[in-house]
């Protein structure tokens, strides 16, 4: 076996490059050699980073120049009571975070939802997008290109779907800006998050567009997709999966468990999440939906950068008066662009695969797409619980004391 000390020294001397180590040793030895190099160059002990629990080779598709693993504390909330289009029953939801009090808050919200009979959730739209940008001479050529695309959707679908055995092209939406033509391709990617799938398929379709129109491809992504950036188009048109969850909480349960009233929570939501967000120019009209989404993404192997799209969430809270004069609370969250999958990417890593096993959603579903739909619905109910708990704490003025009590 190659000595990691020797490999580290060869890199220091310039005989090897840091990304070439796997060519001279197994993956774990290469990671060890890089770790030794970094320790010597920075004077830092990397004992915890190097104490990972899976073969480094299993992470090869997910990272380059590996030195170890970032170990984020993982907890569990639930069970999450959901009646969904794909998810049904109760599910424990693993969440990985370094933010104290988050899981306690979400669990409190889930307890209230469970006592109220559970939450409903539905994926209302699918569509992982990729939007290439083309150059044309002017508006006449732009119109010609758009017309050809609209008249030849089936030919473009055939080209795109020739690259994948799972993805389906759903739509192509054209946008013209001067001498630039953007084509926003949308795909049903089944149980995969599908960004790579959509990119490869769109590249194939772009070759047909270039061969049949005056348009010349400038970039396979023209940012109208829009991936890993806050964007109004995702809030309006959706990306990945659009999912909504809601629950009706009896007024006495709000008072007993959240120590406030339906009217107070509804007012807090309106003034904070709706008016306050509008004044701030926010693309997310919610309290902290990204908190739950981010923790779920880390736990289940999603692309953590896409949390920025999942923050495109609108929370609504409505006080509903009954005939007997009591007031219940209607609570909902609508996540316009939740990009999740249960196959591919980070979902194959051992820790994340185990978290998906906890949910009963590892791998492809039957029918295809059902596991990723179920994951989206469960995350949405988790986000709803987080919104309910935080708004309850705010309207009862218990937010600061809760963090103090938990030592955060």
């Amino acid at each position: 076996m190659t000595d990691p000390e020797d490999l580290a020294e060869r890199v220091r001397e310039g005989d090897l490059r840091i990304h070439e180590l796997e060519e001279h040793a197994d993956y774990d030895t290469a990671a060890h050699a890089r770790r030794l190099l970094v320790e010597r160059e920075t004077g830092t002990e990397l004992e915890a980073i190097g104490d990972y629990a899976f073969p480094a080779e299993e992470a090869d598709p997910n990272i380059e120049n590996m030195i170890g693993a970032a170990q984020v504390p993982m907890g569990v909330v639930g069970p999450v009571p959901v009646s969904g289009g794909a998810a049904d029953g109760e599910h424990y939801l693993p969440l990985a975070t370094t933010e104290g009090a988050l899981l306690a808050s979400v669990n409190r919200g889930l307890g209230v939802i469970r006592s109220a009979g559970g939450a409903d959730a539905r994926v209302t739209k699918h569509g992982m997008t990729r939007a290439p940008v083309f150059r044309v001479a002017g508006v006449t050529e732009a119109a010609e290109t758009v017309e050809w695309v609209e008249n030849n959707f089936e030919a473009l679908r055939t080209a795109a779907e020739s690259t994948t055995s799972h993805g389906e092209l759903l739509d192509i939406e054209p946008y013209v800006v001067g001498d630039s033509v953007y084509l926003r391709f949308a795909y049903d990617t089944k149980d995969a998050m599908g960004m790579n799938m959509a990119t490869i398929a769109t590249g194939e379709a772009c070759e047909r567009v270039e061969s049949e129109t005056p348009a010349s491809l400038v970039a396979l992504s023209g940012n109208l997709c829009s991936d890993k950036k806050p964007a109004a188009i995702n809030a309006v048109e959706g990306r990945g999966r659009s999912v909504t969850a809601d629950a009706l909480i009896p007024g006495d349960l709000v008072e007993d468990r959240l120590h406030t009233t339906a009217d107070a929570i509804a007012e807090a939501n309106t003034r904070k999440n709706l008016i306050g967000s509008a004044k701030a120019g926010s693309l997310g009209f919610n309290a902290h939906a990204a908190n739950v989404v981010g923790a779920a993404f880390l736990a289940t192997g999603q692309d953590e950068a896409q949390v920025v799209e999942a923050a495109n969430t609108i929370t609504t809270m409505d006080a509903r008066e009954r005939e007997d004069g009591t007031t219940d609370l209607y609570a909902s969250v609508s996540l316009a662009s939740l990009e999740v999958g249960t196959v591919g990417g980070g979902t194959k890593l051992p820790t994340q695969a185990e978290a998906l096993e906890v949910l009963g959603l590892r791998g492809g579903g039957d029918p295809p797409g059902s596991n990723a739909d179920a994951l989206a619905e469960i995350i949405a109910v988790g986000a709803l619980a987080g919104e309910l708990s935080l708004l309850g704490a705010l309207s009862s003025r218990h937010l600061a004391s809760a963090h103090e009590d938990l030592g955060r």
Side-chain angles (χ1 to χ4, degrees), residues 23-207:
E23 299 174 13
H24 300 270
D26 63 78
Y27 287 86
D28 287 296
T29 301
H32 188 184
R34 289 193 194 94
R35 205 159 54 246
L36 289 173
L37 175 68
V38 173
E39 286 179 336
R40 291 167 182 172
E41 293 289 332
T42 65
T44 307
E45 290 291 333
L46 302 180
E47 181 178 356
I49 290 174
D51 188 19
Y52 52 92
F54 56 89
E57 186 174 2
E58 293 190 20
D60 182 55
N62 303 98
I63 196 165
E64 299 77 41
N65 298 342
M66 180 174 167
I67 62 171
Q71 299 171 73
V72 181
M74 186 185 299
V76 67
V77 296
V80 181
V82 55
S83 174
D88 191 46
E90 297 192 338
H91 303 262
Y92 284 99
L93 174 60
L95 299 176
T97 184
T98 58
E99 181 179 354
L102 175 59
L103 272 74
S105 177
V106 175
N107 221 32
R108 181 173 83 133
L110 286 173
V112 172
I113 292 172
R114 191 161 50 250
S115 296
D120 295 319
R122 294 292 188 278
V123 172
T124 57
K125 188 176 182 180
H126 298 82
M128 177 50 70
T129 59
R130 179 52 88 203
V133 57
F134 297 83
R135 179 198 315 112
V136 293
V139 67
T140 301
E141 287 190 358
E144 180 182 344
T145 300
V146 169
E147 182 179 8
W148 185 89
V149 169
E150 292 175 342
N151 292 335
N152 291 273
F153 176 80
E154 290 302 323
L156 291 172
R157 179 160 66 182
T158 298
E161 293 180 4
S162 70
T163 67
T164 173
S165 58
H166 301 291
E168 296 180 15
L169 180 61
L170 302 174
D171 186 44
I172 306 172
E173 186 69 27
Y175 298 84
V176 175
V177 182
D179 60 356
S180 295
V181 176
Y182 301 82
L183 301 177
R184 194 171 192 257
F185 289 71
Y187 298 86
D188 182 351
T189 55
K190 307 305 180 185
D191 283 304
M193 182 273 282
M195 189 68 267
N196 291 339
M197 183 191 300
T199 299
I200 294 168
T202 300
E204 188 72 19
C206 284
E207 293 185 11

Side-chain angles (χ1 to χ4, degrees), residues 355-372:
L356 287 170
E357 289 276 11
V358 169
L359 285 156
L361 299 175
R362 182 181 180 183
D366 184 17
S370 58
N371 274 3

